[in-house]
Amino acid sequence: QPRKKRAKIVSACSECRRKKTKCNGEQPCRSCEKSHVPCVYPSAATAQSQAVDDRRGRAQLEAIEERLKTIEDMLRVILQSMSTTD
């Protein structure tokens, strides 16, 4: 007899994602039921808003890195001017 293939779960519940465990896709899933925690599946809107937050976060990080580079350049100039006056 051929072995039954396990059904592929499109999206694991939030708790299984957090724990990085297998999610059976039921409501509630076995893992959440066993742990006595709420079993919540992320919606497409949640995933989309997360992607927007990620892009916004990357843009903010790039801005901070650019400011840091400017400050480092300014400090380098100050230190060079101090060493030439000695």
Side-chain angles (χ1 to χ4, degrees):
Q1 287 181 345
R3 293 175 72 175
K4 272 187 160 180
K5 288 188 177 180
R6 185 178 5 211
K8 182 169 170 73
I9 306 304
V10 175
S11 180
C13 71
S14 300
E15 187 67 11
C16 286
R17 260 178 211 266
R18 188 182 69 78
K19 288 183 174 180
K20 296 184 179 178
T21 58
K22 287 278 185 191
C23 184
N24 66 358
E26 295 174 0
Q27 182 61 38
C29 74
R30 261 186 235 123
S31 179
C32 289
E33 196 168 42
K34 188 176 176 182
S35 303
H36 304 290
V37 294
C39 187
V40 179
Y41 287 87
S43 66
T46 303
Q48 191 175 20
S49 70
Q50 181 66 42
V52 169
D53 288 347
D54 288 349
R55 283 193 299 272
R56 193 174 297 136
R58 269 194 296 274
Q60 288 174 338
L61 179 60
E62 287 173 7
I64 291 169
E65 287 174 337
E66 186 61 37
R67 288 171 55 201
L68 177 60
K69 184 183 177 310
T70 302
I71 292 169
E72 287 173 336
D73 291 343
M74 292 167 73
L75 181 58
R76 194 173 296 109
V77 168
I78 291 169
L79 290 174
Q80 285 173 349
S81 70
M82 289 176 67
S83 68
T84 57
T85 58
D86 289 344

